[in-house]
Amino acid sequence: MDSTLYPMQVSAGRDIGAGHLRGWGLEYGDLRERVGLDPMFQEAMQAAQDRGSLVVDHKLANLYLIIRYAMDPASDIFEFGSFSGGSAVFMATLLKALGRSGRVHAFDTFEGMPDTDVVRDLHKRGDFADTRYRELLEYIDERQLGSHVTTVKGRFDQTLPSVIAARPRVGLIHVDCDIYEPIKYVIRESRPALVAGCHVAFDDPLHGSCLGAFDAVQELMIRELALTAEQAYPHMVFRLPALRGDHPEALTGLRAWWGRWRTAGRAASI
């Protein structure tokens, strides 16, 4: 819980130390409870709940940890697949509370899914159409979040090029658009805007209804770009461009923390 300790342990182009800390800590440890004590997280969670976010709390906690401690503090966030805006206003609330200058670019048709791959994707055209978009805009205005979140309405291929042309610096991509072709498109097209070691967090690949998302991740991130995942729970997280250099000595603090948990007998469920 100290941004000066990042990266913790760089190996194979990712901060595997941070991946262990967030992934194991959220799935088996007390990290979710510790995060929940932070008033900043509580405020952001309330914003997500106000907008009926479908993103589960462990995933929101993971985004909080990346934003607060690990990502470039001067960078923006791209979110692809914002639905009713719950996770977008969650992240914007954090940026505002942290006094950051960055903003969330919340990409979505806000009218439901476009055409999908009939073989790979279980979702179909028109799914997630009940976005309450006008209410989202009113919520952003009421909470004075306009400096930290921008909605980008329309198909990704129609809206992303103009945003990229404005030369943003992106430190986190939150991919929650569920389906095969859009995922491959947004990662490829976003690459010119990414800062070194940008976090790319995929919400969907390990869900039973999203094999198209899994196909996109394994084809693009693993096979084509030859990246290795930093984290597998609660998101699949990659670093793009990959981090450089190995720093095995930086994991000392994490190993000590893990050792205390084993001593306490709390790792027995693994």
Side-chain angles (χ1 to χ4, degrees), residues 204-217:
D204 309 304
L206 301 181
H207 287 286
S209 60
C210 297
L211 280 176
F214 187 81
D215 281 357
V217 168

Side-chain angles (χ1 to χ4, degrees), residues 71-107:
M71 71 174 273
D72 183 330
S75 61
D76 285 356
I77 298 170
F78 278 1
E79 177 174 72
F80 295 104
S82 295
F83 184 46
S84 61
S87 53
V89 297
F90 172 87
M91 294 186 289
T93 300
L94 287 178
L95 293 177
K96 181 180 178 181
L98 289 165
R100 302 265 181 93
S101 60
R103 68 172 55 240
V104 181
H105 303 261
F107 293 84

Side-chain angles (χ1 to χ4, degrees), residues 201-258:
F202 293 95
D203 182 90
D204 309 304
L206 301 181
H207 287 286
S209 60
C210 297
L211 280 176
F214 187 81
D215 281 357
V217 168
Q218 65 179 346
E219 290 176 14
L220 178 60
M221 306 300 285
I222 298 172
R223 295 176 187 165
E224 181 178 324
L225 299 178
L227 296 173
T228 304
E230 177 172 297
Q231 189 176 349
Y233 179 90
H235 296 95
M236 291 191 73
V237 177
F238 294 82
R239 305 298 285 273
L240 180 66
L243 297 176
R244 295 183 177 181
D246 287 353
H247 305 284
E249 72 285 350
L251 196 57
T252 303
L254 178 62
R255 292 196 189 283
W257 180 73
W258 167 246

